[in-house]
Amino acid sequence: MTNRFDINETVGFDELDMRVYTSRLQGVDQDLVLHGGGNTSLKLDGVLYVKGSGWDLASIEREGFSPARIDALLDLLKHDELTDIDMVKYQREALTNPSAPNPSVEAILHALIPYKYVDHTHADAVVTISNTIDGEAKIEELYGDRYLIIPYVMPGFILAKVIYEMSRDLDWDSIDGMILHNHGVFTFSDDAKTSYDNMISTVAIAQEYLDENAKLDIPSSVDEMVYNLGELQVLLSNAKEYSVTLHLNQSPLSRYFASQDDETLYRKGLLTPEHIIRTKRSAAIFDVDLKGGLDSYIQGYREYFERYASDEIMLNSAPNWVIIKGVGTLSIGKNTKDTTIIDDITTHTMRAILQGEKLGGYQSISEADSFAMEYWELEQMKLRAK
Ligand SMILES: [Zn+2]
């Protein structure tokens, strides 16, 4: 893990400038967060400046931090339950600047951590280890002494509430951070640099473990393979009901992943929960019979929906990414911005799955938890806001 902090770049910075600076350092590091993932905050004079919805840590600016009154956010913890829609409404009411963006759905959690600077990422290395069959034991072994370890629960109010209960008697000074199973990492400090340094050193522990126990050996030279996307363009546009943009990735990693005999790898699920709105839970598998591969994915998706749905409306059931056997991986979107995001996420996911297999078997959040995330009203709102 590279520590990108450069003291010379921070001359004359106030506290919010520092918040912007170390947020960006984490945002540009794709092994920490991808495309809008993660969130950071600063506490100043009773106000929490927390990443606003719609901002990306890599390019966030001062106005990207929504100012919300800390006492009003903490008051919300008195509720036993809170719907996501109500939480968003109350968080808006807590804003000191009514024209600021919606505070992150993790605002209450940031508010309850008693330090000035709080950083949250979905670091690949940590989540990869957590996403394995005995991930809990491995995380305990690596982090048990100096970290609060949180079982998987839905992000948002439920997560804030769980951590609130777990930390009631906690001496926060006795820990360096929190590991959220199947999700990510939190670090904190009254000093921006220390919180950032802790994020990097926390992830470095996991990275070292992976380097020792799950090093990947991806064949680098594979024969060039020309693949005609014409038929897929038509098939997938019909299934998606818009003219799709396709991106075929034939990197050594994609080729290697697409050439695995064990097709259960392609259905092992997510890296971090929020990726599901981009990729769905699993990839489609296409071999020679493209139409057959597509039909079988759509059928499987409908069955998954029916297993868990109560009153939700089903999303389009066509895949967002496809394994073309022996050829590579295909991202499907409305435009190249979409396909770039999907391609980046799936690239990191493939690496995690292959490494997780080396650690005894990759295992992401359950299908039921995936459904809860995919059909979460706030995630639906994010998509509608695009
Ligand atoms: Zn998160």
Side-chain angles (χ1 to χ4, degrees), residues 37-39 106 120-122 155 159 180 183-186 272-274:
N39 39 65
E106 309 296 11
H120 168 51
T121 72
H122 302 148
L159 178 61
L180 280 56
H183 177 169
V185 180
F186 271 85
T272 191
E274 68 173 42

Side-chain angles (χ1 to χ4, degrees), residues 276-304:
I276 201 163
I277 58 164
R278 302 291 188 182
T279 61
K280 298 189 185 284
R281 181 171 162 80
S282 52
I285 307 164
F286 287 6
D287 211 327
V288 182
D289 175 12
L290 301 178
K291 172 117 186 14
L294 179 61
D295 289 347
S296 137
Y297 184 88
I298 288 175
Q299 178 66 23
Y301 187 85
R302 288 190 174 148
E303 287 165 9
Y304 152 80

Side-chain angles (χ1 to χ4, degrees), residues 59-246:
S59 54
I60 198 160
E61 294 170 27
R62 288 173 71 99
E63 60 267 34
F65 288 92
S66 300
R69 283 182 296 111
I70 292 171
D71 56 356
L73 292 174
L74 293 179
D75 254 1
L76 297 177
L77 288 165
K78 290 178 185 148
H79 294 266
D80 288 329
E81 287 174 22
L82 197 60
T83 67
D84 301 319
I85 300 287
D86 282 343
M87 183 182 76
V88 168
K89 189 183 85 183
Y90 291 137
Q91 287 188 174
R92 273 217 77 78
E93 286 171 10
L95 289 173
T96 60
N97 169 9
S99 61
N102 280 337
S104 157
V105 298
E106 309 296 11
I108 302 170
L109 172 51
H110 280 259
L112 77 85
I113 298 173
Y115 294 91
K116 221 167 182 175
Y117 290 90
V118 176
D119 293 293
H120 168 51
T121 72
H122 302 148
D124 280 7
V126 177
V127 184
T128 298
I129 295 169
S130 172
N131 284 350
T132 55
I133 283 166
D134 59 349
E136 290 184 5
K138 293 189 196 90
I139 290 292
E140 181 63 39
E141 185 193 320
L142 288 173
Y143 294 105
D145 293 345
R146 300 277 310 168
Y147 291 78
L148 186 64
I149 298 172
I150 317 291
Y152 178 76
V153 289
M154 274 279 283
F157 183 72
I158 303 172
L159 178 61
K161 193 81 185 173
V162 163
I163 293 178
Y164 173 62
E165 299 296 342
M166 285 180 73
S167 64
R168 269 176 194 275
D169 301 316
L170 173 73
D171 170 12
W172 285 88
D173 281 338
S174 71
I175 59 169
D176 295 331
M178 295 191 288
I179 307 293
L180 280 56
H181 267 299
N182 315 115
H183 177 169
V185 180
F186 271 85
T187 56
F188 30 79
S189 171
D190 286 332
D191 167 62
K193 180 176 185 302
T194 305
S195 184
Y196 172 76
D197 287 347
N198 281 351
M199 178 61 70
I200 299 302
S201 56
T202 300
V203 180
I205 293 170
Q207 191 57 58
E208 237 170 73
Y209 181 85
L210 290 177
D211 288 346
E212 272 171 36
N213 298 289
K215 207 148 187 72
L216 293 182
D217 187 18
I218 312 265
S220 56
S221 59
V222 272
D223 301 335
E224 190 73 19
M225 179 178 265
V226 180
Y227 190 83
N228 186 345
L229 292 172
E231 188 185 346
L232 280 179
Q233 177 76 38
V234 175
L235 269 177
L236 290 165
S237 292
N238 285 336
K240 288 281 191 191
E241 297 173 338
Y242 58 78
S243 174
V244 294
T245 298
L246 300 178

